[in-house]
Every structure is written in structure tokens, then in C-alpha cells.
């Protein structure tokens, strides 16, 4: 995606809009649809209508969800988009995840690399987004992430449903010899003016012979029957009955089992090893050396997973030294050195920051330093993948967010064509940005040694925790000018963090040229709905061999904390109410959704009402992934321990397609954010990650979880995301609440370094 951003920015910002004419040659190709993957090996009794719908007389109506289901309810919402326009009930459909295919590329995800705020509808921003739409088609990445699934599917899947509905009506009109305009549809049937009906399943094969209309009229939201209302999740029965739906559940005939033991120091190689103790374990068959761009180590193949785990423990290995400082103190020095250098790039620069500070009275200058550690994903289902290599072709079964990437990296490792790799996507037992690339790669690395048999490779929890792609550690220095009784007008921000995109492409596509600018570094800091007379948001690129990657809300997970914690400091310095000050800094025109969110939040949280002794409230707001989200956290201090009492959340994603699922995602994001704030950190000693399991990297437990109240608005002009947007405001809201009741200003996570929680 970095390459796409580079092309877009050069085209529209550096060379001007006119230069985009050189890309017009490719626009024709952009308009041509990819082939429908459902038409391959389609049973004779079934018909495929667009890449999203399959209908058969016996098999019924199947909707293909192109994004991975990892608990966020996306299969239900994507299916509802199709069902609404197809005019079928949710109880009349089945939902499947499709095989990897270019037709399922994620267009919306590419807009996130554009260097423009969500509310910017200017010429450059609009032109760049259009370029991203075009480029996403050529890149054709099938990916789940960035809270982009509903944004991406909102129109294309509704259009698929409407097109299928119209061609089914056309088939019925032909059979009845009646004008198609006189026909209606309802609940999977075409209705004749005289009351006769034909089931879609009866018409499917005839309809498949007709041309699918390229232009269809979509229903107004006022006429929605399904969208906008809570739906029963399509996978709920399998979930509550414990059906084998996850990657770790895969069972195949003649299967053998494996695990991995990788170098504990990222980037370090094996110095020497002795595999005899591992092979002496009963059930262990082979020890396979693995050396990839992602990591080096060993795979153990055995008759069962337990034997593989024991063989991994028994393996005697001497590992090389880490190519980065061995402990946290040394790593911190790298960050401080980065901040001492000139910034690599700047966003949202306005006015004259240097002059403003030179002219300011020293007493009006507020300075602060904020810091966050590396974080692991800690998914409930450890990493796992099953692979079978036979007759030069590889088949993979795994829960993955990027099946195309899995196929590419596995094919490259084995020296085969990507077309010779088939990836079956299972449900994911949690992901948060973790599942892509290495689980499938390591399974592929062991597959040739399995001699044609499928091998299921399951990671131990410790291996997973200590070999993740971590949320970056980040360090921020902030300063602002504050006059008593007035909202601040000048801010200067410097943030040091490694590039997430450079980490991703460095592992899986090292040949791809990347620009210096990784928008993730300033995400949640730059592009926020605040009006500044003088502003500068500067990024200082960190380079480290510690592997970093996407984690739920990515840059927003730390920049939301930095930004909103500092905003609270500025409100306190100015003697202003924190919510009132934020609203005063939001443009009535550009930032209207943000203002309405904060006004609603002030009302529902009873902000300003006197609290019982020992209680305090804090607020946070972040615009991320197209959704405007504000949160208030209330805490209470009892016996010196802090307990989170309640969280109020107001979110505006533009369109709420399923209020129950969206609210669930806000709650999930809040709990995720509070967990990172209260006690999570990945730390290093002797070049190794110190944390091993949930006992030393835990999420908040049920007894600690507060009451959460969610309110949804629909004032934003464009549809926004859900899965990640609840995370960023929760962290500063908690910090600000703790300050309100204790007077302690927390600028570093996890907060349990400074306070204790009940």
C-alpha cells in the first residue's frame, strides 16, 4: 500500500491533477470486472450471479462474504447488504467465505493511505481518493482489516444483490411472457400481477443465461427491511454448539501434526543445534530447519500436537545475538535519538509554529512527553495453519485476514506459482491484525517434509506471544501555547515510531519500494477535527529489527492517547471544561459530526454533574477509520485501588447497518483499549520478549469490566468503520478520569506502573 500512496501523492500533489492523464490508458482496464471465481467448478444445478451470489434448486441461496469472520459479525452484515437488495430474508440464506480471488479486492482499505483527513473533501483529497480506487483494482488485494469491510461492501454488495434480483425477474418475465416492470419480488420469490409466484431457486439456471444488468437502482434507506435493524448472526448456532469452524479445528484424513520453535531474538540465526533429544521424544518424526524473512528456527513434525510440543522443548539450540539493543533501556535510547534528529516528514502544518513559540511568554507554554510500549495481539486461538503439498501444488487451511498474501509468500518459499496454491479460509479465533503471512508460511515450510500428507502446525501460546508482529512502541514530545480562559491555538508534535507498512512489506514484499511517509505513524494525531492557527505534526521514523505490524487501531491506539491526554492538560491549563474546549476547537461546518458526538456525550454521561467522593470522569475523542467516536470513563478509588465504574460511548459512522453488531464492536474496542491501558506491555531482556502467556500479558477480566453504554448517531456524510474505532478514545478517557480523581497525570502505559487497579 505504501507504493500506492507514493504514486497517488506524486500524481496529485507533486505533479498536479493534469498529470493523471497518463493513467487514463489503464482506466479502461479498471472498468472491466474481474472474472467470477464462482463460475469455476460450479455444479450443474447451481448458477452464479456476480462473485457474491450462488443459487441452486437443491442448495438454495448462498451469499459469499469476501472478508474474514473473526468475531466482528462481518459475515452477517455483508450478507445483509446482499439480502436487502436481493429481497430475501436472512433465514433464507447460507453464508460462505470465498476462495482467494481478485474479484474480492478491498477497495476501501487503500483510501487509508491517503494523507488527508476524513472530512477533507477538497480537490486534492477527492482526486487522491479516486486514484486509490483505481489503483486498488490493479493491486487487487483481498484483505480484511482497517475497519474497511462494510465501507468497501456497502455499495458493491448491494449492487450485486440488486443485479441478481433484476435478472431473476427477467427470467420470470420471459417464462410468463409478461412485461418485467409488472413483476415484484418478496422473500426469495418473483410475484406475477395475478398472484402467481416463482421461487428464485426455480429460476436460477434460466436467469444465469441472461445478461446481468450493469446499472441498477438501490433501495432508499427509508425502505430498508433488513439493514439498519439488529440481525441474528449467521454463525451463532455453530458458535454456541462448538462446531469445528476455526483453523485450529481442521481435521483431514491421514493428517500429521507439527509446531514451530523460532529464534527468540528476532532476526537472529541459529549458531548450532542438536535435534537428537527432540527425535528421541515418542511420536516425533522429523525436525525441519526453517529460514525465512519472517524468522529462523525449526519445525517439528509428530504423530500428535503434544508430541510436537515436547519435541520443540527438547531441541537443543544456541541462538545468535539480536540485531537490536538487548533490553528496554537500550531500545529507549534509539527512540530518543530519533526524536533528536530532524523529522522525516510532517503533516497538517499551518501558520508559523516556530515564530509562535518564539513570541510566547514562557508561562503559557505547556510541554509533555508521552510513551507507549510494544503490544502483542494475544488472540484466544493461537496461530495455526494446515498445509498439504502434493504433485507440485499446495493447499492451505487457515484463519487468515489476507489469503492472497498467504498464497504468495508460500508459493515464493516453495518455488511454485501462486496459481498452484489454494487457501481455504476458516473462521478466525480473534486476530486484531495478526493473522497473515507467517502461520501459513511455516506450515508450507513443513509440508514437503510431510510426504504428501496434510500437516497441521499449531503454535504454543508462548511461541505466539514471543514471535508476533507487535504494535509499535512510540514516544511523543508535545508542546502548545495556552492562554488562560482561551482554547489553545498553537501545537507542535513530534512522534518517534517504526513504520508499520515498512515492516509488513519488508517481510512479505521486500522488493516493493516504499515512501518515507507511513500515515499510520501519525494516525489519530494528525487529521483530527481541531482548528489550529499554528500546527505541526512531525514523524520521526524508527528503524529496528523488532518486528512490528498492524494491531487493532494501529497508530490510533497510541496517538489517540497522546492527543487526548495532552488536550486534557491544555484544558486544565486554560481553566476550561475539557468537553467545552474540544467543541470550541471543532469547525461548525467541517467537523459537525464531531461536535454533535461531543454534545450527545456530554448529555448522556451527565458530564458536569457532581460525583460522589472518590469518583472521577475523563473524556476522549478520536476520529479513526471514518467514524467519529467520543467516550467518557468514570472511575472510583476504593482502598487505594482504582475501579472502572462505567463507560459512555457515542459513535457516528454515517450509516449504522446493524446497531447491535456496531454497538458490540464499540464495546469490544473499549475493552481492548482499556486492557492495553491498564496492564499490557511487551518488554525485552537479553534480546528476548519477556512475556509468555496470559499470566503476564492479560486482558481485563469480567470482574473488572465496567458497564458500557453505547449511543449511535448518523450525521456523518460517509459510512465509517466499526472494529477499531472504539479503541483510541478509551485509553485517554481512562487516564483523564484517573487524573480527575487522584491528581496523577499518566503519560505512559500501562497505567499499572503508576497506579493499582481493583
Amino acid at each position: 500500500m505504501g507504493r500506492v500512496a507514493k504514486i497517488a501523492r506524486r500524481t496529485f500533489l507533486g505533479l498536479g491533477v493534469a498529470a493523471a492523464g497518463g493513467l487514463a490508458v489503464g482506466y479502461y482496464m479498471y472498468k472491466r470486472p474481474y472474472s467470477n471465481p464462482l463460475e469455476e467448478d460450479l455444479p450443474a444445478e447451481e448458477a452464479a450471479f456476480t462473485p457474491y451470489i450462488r443459487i441452486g434448486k437443491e442448495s438454495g441461496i448462498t451469499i459469499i462474504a469476501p472478508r474474514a469472520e473473526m468475531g466482528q459479525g462481518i459475515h452477517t452484515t455483508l450478507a445483509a447488504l446482499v439480502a436487502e437488495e436481493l429481497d430475501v430474508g436472512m433465514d433464507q440464506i447460507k453464508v460462505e467465505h470465498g476462495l482467494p480471488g481478485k474479484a474480492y479486492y478491498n477497495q476501501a482499505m487503500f483510501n487509508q493511505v491517503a494523507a488527508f483527513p476524513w472530512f477533507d473533501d477538497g480537490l486534492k483529497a477527492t482526486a487522491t481518493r479516486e486514484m486509490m480506487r483505481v489503483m486498488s483494482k490493479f493491486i487487487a488485494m483481498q484483505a480484511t482489516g482497517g475497519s474497511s469491510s462494510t465501507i468497501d461492501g456497502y455499495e458493491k454488495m448491494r449492487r450485486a444483490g440488486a443485479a441478481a434480483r433484476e435478472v431473476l425477474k427477467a427470467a420470470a418475465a420471459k417464462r410468463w411472457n409478461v412485461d418485467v416492470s409488472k413483476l415484484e419480488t418478496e422473500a426469495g420469490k418473483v410475484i406475477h400481477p395475478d398472484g402467481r409466484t416463482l421461487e428464485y431457486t426455480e429460476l436460477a439456471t434460466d436467469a444465469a443465461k441472461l445478461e446481468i444488468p450493469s446499472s441498477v437502482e438501490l433501495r432508499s434507506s427509508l425502505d430498508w427491511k433488513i439493514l439498519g435493524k439488529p440481525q441474528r448472526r449467521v454463525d451463532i448456532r455453530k458458535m454456541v454448539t462448538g462446531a469445528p469452524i476455526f483453523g485450529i479445528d481442521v481435521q483431514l484424513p491421514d493428517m500429521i501434526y507439527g509446531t514451530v520453535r523460532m529464534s527468540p531474538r528476532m532476526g537472529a540465526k541459529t549458531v548450532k543445534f542438536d535435534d537428537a533429544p527432540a527425535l528421541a521424544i515418542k511420536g516425533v518424526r522429523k525436525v525441519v530447519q526453517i529460514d525465512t524473512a519472517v524468522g529462523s528456527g525449526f519445525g517439528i513434525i509428530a504423530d500428535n500436537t503434544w508430541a510436537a510440543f515436547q519435541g520443540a522443548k527438547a531441541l537443543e539450540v544456541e541462538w545468535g545475538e539480536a540485531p537490536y539493543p538487548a533490553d528496554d533501556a537500550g531500545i529507549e535510547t534509539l527512540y530518543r535519538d530519533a526524536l533528536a534528529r530532524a523529522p522525516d516528514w510532517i503533516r497538517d502544518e499551518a501558520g508559523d509554529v516556530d515564530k509562535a513559540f518564539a513570541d510566547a511568554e514562557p508561562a503559557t507554554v505547556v510541554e509533555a512527553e508521552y510513551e507507549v510500549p510494544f503490544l502483542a495481539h494475544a488472540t484466544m486461538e493461537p496461530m495455526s495453519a494446515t498445509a498439504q503439498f502434493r504433485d507440485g501444488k499446495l493447499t492451505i487451511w487457515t484463519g487468515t485476514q489476507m489469503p492472497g498474501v498467504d498464497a504468495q509468500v508460500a508459493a515464493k518459499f516453495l518455488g511454485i506459482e501462486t496459481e498452484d496454491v489454494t487457501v481455504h479460509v476458516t473462521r478466525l479465533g480473534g486476530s486484531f491484525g495478526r493473522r497473515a503471512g507467517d502461520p501459513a508460511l511455516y506450515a508450507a515450510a513443513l509440508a514437503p517434509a510431510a510426504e504428501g500428507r496434510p500437516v497441521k502446525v499449531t503454535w504454543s501460546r508462548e511461541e505466539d506471544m514471543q514471535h508476533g508482529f507487535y504494535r509499535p512502541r512510540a514516544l511523543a514530545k508535545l508542546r502548545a501555547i495556552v492562554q488562560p480562559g482561551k482554547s489553545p491555538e498553537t501545537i507542535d508534535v513530534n512522534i518517534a515510531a517504526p513504520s508499520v507498512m515498512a515492516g509488513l512489506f519488508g517481510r512479505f514484499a521486500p522488493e516493493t519500494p516504499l515512501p518515507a511517509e507511513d500515515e499510520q505513524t501519525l494516525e489519530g494525531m494528525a487529521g483530527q477535527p481541531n482548528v489550529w492557527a499554528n500546527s505541526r505534526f512531525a514523524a520521526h521514523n524508527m528503524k529496528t529489527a523488532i518486528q512490528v505490524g498492524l494491531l487493532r487501531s494501529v497508530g490510533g491506539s497510541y496517538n489517540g492517547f497522546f492527543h487526548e491526554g495532552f488536550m486534557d492538560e491544555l484544558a486544565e491549563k486554560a481553566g476550561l471544561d475539557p468537553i467545552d474546549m474540544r467543541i470550541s476547537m471543532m469547525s461548525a461546518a467541517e467537523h459537525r459530526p464531531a461536535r454533535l458526538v461531543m454534545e450527545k456525550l456530554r448529555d448522556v454521561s451527565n458530564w458536569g454533574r457532581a460525583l460522589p467522593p472518590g469518583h472521577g470522569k475523563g473524556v476522549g475523542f478520536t476520529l479513526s477509520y471514518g467514524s467519529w467516536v467520543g467516550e467518557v470513563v468514570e472511575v472510583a478509588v476504593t482502598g487505594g485501588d482504582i475501579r472502572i465504574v462505567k463507560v459512555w460511548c457515542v459513535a457516528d459512522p454515517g450509516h449504522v447497518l446493524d446497531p447491535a453488531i456496531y454497538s458490540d464492536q464499540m464495546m469490544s474496542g473499549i475493552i481492548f483499549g482499556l486492557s492495553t491501558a491498564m496492564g499490557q506491555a511487551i518488554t525485552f531482556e537479553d534480546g528476548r520478549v519477556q512475556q509468555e502467556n496470559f499470566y503476564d500479558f492479560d486482558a481485563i477480566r469480567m470482574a473488572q469490566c465496567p458497564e458500557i453504554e453505547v449511543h449511535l448517531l448518523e450525521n456523518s456524510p460517509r459510512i465509517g468503520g466499526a472494529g477499531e474505532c472504539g479503541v483510541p478514545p478509551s485509553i485517554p478517557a481512562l487516564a483523564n478520569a484517573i487524573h480527575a480523581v487522584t491528581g496523577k497525570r499518566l503519560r505512559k502505559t500501562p497505567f499499572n506502573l503508576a497506579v493499582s487497579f481493583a
Side-chain angles (χ1 to χ4, degrees):
M1 284 189 288
R3 187 179 185 183
V4 178
K6 185 176 184 180
I7 293 171
R9 277 196 288 277
R10 282 183 175 176
T11 302
F12 288 102
L13 305 184
L15 302 179
V17 176
L23 293 172
V25 176
Y27 198 74
Y28 170 72
M29 295 298 294
Y30 161 70
K31 300 297 282 187
R32 289 181 60 186
Y34 284 117
S35 61
N36 186 349
L38 300 183
E39 292 176 350
E40 299 178 17
D41 301 321
L42 190 70
E45 66 94 18
E46 288 193 354
F49 301 89
T50 78
Y52 303 103
I53 305 165
R54 200 174 67 232
I55 302 177
K57 194 164 187 177
E58 300 299 325
S59 57
I61 301 169
T62 301
I63 293 177
I64 305 301
R67 304 292 170 252
E69 178 60 74
M70 59 188 89
Q72 78 277 45
I74 197 61
H75 279 192
T76 301
T77 299
L78 292 180
L81 289 168
V82 176
E84 181 67 70
E85 299 292 345
L86 185 57
D87 213 351
V88 296
M90 294 293 285
D91 58 345
Q92 295 180 279
I93 62 170
K94 294 179 292 185
V95 183
E96 295 179 2
H97 191 293
L99 290 172
K102 291 185 175 181
Y104 300 126
Y105 71 97
N106 189 331
Q107 189 176 75
M109 199 172 188
F110 277 68
N111 277 346
Q112 294 170 10
V113 302
F116 296 95
W118 186 256
F119 48 81
D120 187 344
D121 289 322
L123 176 62
K124 290 181 179 179
T126 302
T128 300
R129 292 189 189 109
E130 180 58 26
M131 174 58 72
M132 292 300 177
R133 286 169 55 86
V134 175
M135 294 305 297
S136 68
K137 173 75 177 291
F138 293 113
I139 301 296
M141 180 179 288
Q142 183 183 358
T144 306
S147 296
S148 63
S149 295
T150 54
I151 302 173
D152 181 71
Y154 181 61
E155 283 204 11
K156 67 171 68 168
M157 296 193 74
R158 290 166 66 207
R159 292 190 184 283
R165 181 194 69 225
E166 291 305 308
V167 78
L168 287 161
K169 285 170 62 179
K174 191 173 182 180
R175 186 176 295 188
W176 283 328
N177 194 26
V178 65
D179 188 338
V180 70
S181 66
K182 299 182 182 299
L183 302 182
E184 302 289 338
T185 60
E186 185 177 8
K189 299 176 183 178
V190 180
I191 305 171
H192 192 280
D194 65 10
R196 282 180 287 167
T197 64
L198 281 170
E199 300 275 353
Y200 288 173
T201 52
E202 298 177 70
L203 293 165
T205 53
D206 288 347
K209 300 171 186 175
L210 305 177
E211 185 175 350
I212 293 179
S214 58
S215 178
V216 289
E217 185 176 345
L218 300 179
R219 283 179 173 170
S220 164
S221 60
L222 298 175
D223 299 323
W224 283 349
K225 301 176 183 178
I226 298 172
L227 296 174
K229 302 176 179 65
Q231 301 299 324
R232 183 174 182 264
R233 293 204 182 191
V234 296
D235 54 357
I236 192 66
R237 182 177 181 82
K238 291 180 179 178
M239 289 293 294
V240 300
T241 58
I245 56 178
F246 299 99
I248 206 168
D249 295 327
V250 169
Q251 291 294 328
L252 298 170
D254 203 29
M255 176 182 280
I256 52 179
Y257 303 83
T259 192
V260 292
R261 183 177 170 193
M262 308 305 290
S263 171
R265 303 185 183 102
M266 288 168 237
K269 305 285 186 179
T270 303
V271 175
K272 61 181 179 179
F273 72 96
D274 182 0
D275 61 6
L279 292 169
I281 299 294
K282 183 179 180 181
V284 172
R285 291 169 171 262
K286 293 181 181 180
V287 175
V288 180
Q289 197 159 6
I290 300 173
D291 190 10
T292 74
V294 179
S296 298
F298 300 87
I300 291 82
I301 298 176
D303 293 334
N304 56 71
T305 301
W306 178 251
F309 280 4
Q310 296 309 301
K313 288 181 180 179
L315 189 66
E316 294 181 0
V317 191
E318 181 182 335
W319 307 101
E321 294 301 313
Y324 48 83
D327 58 21
D328 290 330
I331 293 168
E332 182 178 342
T333 298
L334 294 181
Y335 279 78
R336 297 200 175 278
D337 289 346
L339 278 182
R341 298 192 300 266
D344 292 279
W345 51 279
I346 294 171
R347 286 283 176 269
D348 291 4
E349 191 168 19
D352 192 330
V353 172
D354 292 330
K355 185 177 186 304
F357 279 102
D359 295 343
E361 292 291 330
T364 65
V365 176
V366 179
E367 296 183 293
E369 186 174 284
Y370 281 72
E371 186 178 357
V372 296
F374 293 104
L375 289 178
H377 298 79
T379 62
M380 287 300 294
E381 179 193 16
M383 299 300 108
S384 66
T386 300
Q388 185 174 27
F389 188 58
R390 188 165 57 187
D391 301 326
K393 297 183 184 296
L394 179 70
T395 305
I396 299 171
W397 295 261
T398 189
T400 176
Q401 292 177 258
M402 297 183 180
V405 170
D406 283 2
Q408 290 170 14
V409 298
K412 184 176 180 180
F413 182 84
L414 293 177
I416 62 177
E417 297 298 321
T418 302
E419 291 72 22
D420 290 329
V421 180
T422 300
V423 180
H424 298 279
V425 181
T426 66
R427 200 180 195 280
L428 289 64
S431 180
F432 317 119
R434 176 65 184 93
R435 294 185 193 272
D438 53 333
L441 174 60
Y442 292 163
L446 295 190
E451 300 174 349
R453 298 172 67 178
V455 55
K456 178 161 69 173
V457 181
T458 304
W459 298 32
S460 68
R461 175 69 62 190
E462 291 74 17
E463 198 71 28
D464 188 1
M465 189 75 71
Q466 297 179 331
H467 296 87
F469 305 143
Y470 303 107
R471 196 286 308 271
R473 178 174 178 156
L475 178 64
K477 288 192 174 183
L478 309 97
R479 58 177 182 155
I481 300 172
V482 181
Q483 301 287 348
K486 295 181 180 180
S487 297
E489 296 183 346
T490 300
I491 190 169
D492 186 23
V493 174
N494 287 270
I495 295 174
S499 168
V500 169
M501 301 313 298
L504 287 175
F505 279 86
R507 289 189 292 273
F508 302 128
E511 68 283 355
T512 304
L514 289 171
E517 303 95 331
D518 180 355
E519 301 305 324
Q520 306 274 359
T521 306
L522 293 177
E523 178 186 33
M525 176 65 75
Q528 290 302 295
N530 304 115
V531 177
W532 299 97
N534 307 290
S535 64
R536 181 170 57 206
F537 298 87
H540 300 252
N541 284 351
M542 276 289 310
K543 290 182 173 61
T544 171
I546 297 172
Q547 297 184 134
V548 296
L550 305 168
L551 183 142
R552 196 173 191 174
S553 81
V554 202
S557 68
Y558 55 84
N559 283 319
F561 168 48
F562 298 165
H563 186 279
E564 291 298 284
F566 193 55
M567 288 286 278
D568 233 56
E569 295 195 49
L570 302 185
E572 183 179 41
K573 177 75 171 180
L576 299 175
D577 176 86
I579 290 184
D580 289 345
M581 189 194 80
R582 284 170 172 81
I583 294 173
S584 73
M585 297 177 67
M586 294 170 175
S587 163
E590 277 192 308
H591 310 149
R592 179 174 175 268
R595 294 172 67 97
L596 294 174
V597 162
M598 295 305 286
E599 289 168 2
K600 179 73 171 180
L601 183 63
R602 180 172 55 194
D603 292 341
V604 298
S605 68
N606 295 311
W607 185 265
R609 180 180 294 180
L611 293 171
H615 285 241
K617 285 181 180 176
V619 65
F621 175 92
T622 310
L623 168 60
S624 63
Y625 302 95
S627 290
W628 317 69
V629 182
E631 294 169 13
V632 165
V633 170
E634 180 180 347
V635 301
V637 179
T638 306
D641 291 335
I642 292 171
R643 177 174 57 88
I644 306 174
V645 177
K646 186 169 182 176
V647 179
W648 292 265
C649 171
V650 179
D652 186 344
H655 291 294
V656 180
L657 302 180
D658 188 314
I661 287 178
Y662 197 93
S663 294
D664 286 349
Q665 284 304 291
M666 289 298 103
M667 293 182 190
S668 172
I670 289 166
I671 293 169
F672 193 93
L674 295 177
S675 295
T676 69
M678 292 168 65
Q680 292 183 346
I682 290 294
T683 58
F684 286 82
E685 186 176 293
D686 190 27
R688 303 170 180 240
V689 171
Q690 292 179 281
Q691 288 68 35
E692 295 183 326
N693 211 312
F694 289 130
Y695 79 89
D696 55 2
F697 192 94
D698 204 1
I700 61 174
R701 298 304 180 104
M702 291 181 69
Q704 295 176 300
C705 189
E707 177 187 353
I708 301 174
E709 182 180 311
V710 179
H711 298 264
L712 304 178
L713 304 179
E714 295 182 288
N715 298 306
S716 181
R718 293 196 296 273
I719 187 170
E724 294 162 282
C725 314
V727 176
S730 65
I731 303 165
L734 175 58
N736 295 335
I738 292 171
H739 173 72
V741 71
T742 68
K744 292 183 179 180
R745 182 64 71 181
L746 303 181
R747 301 187 183 98
K748 181 177 181 178
T749 64
F751 298 152
N752 65 356
L753 297 173
V755 298
S756 59
F757 291 94

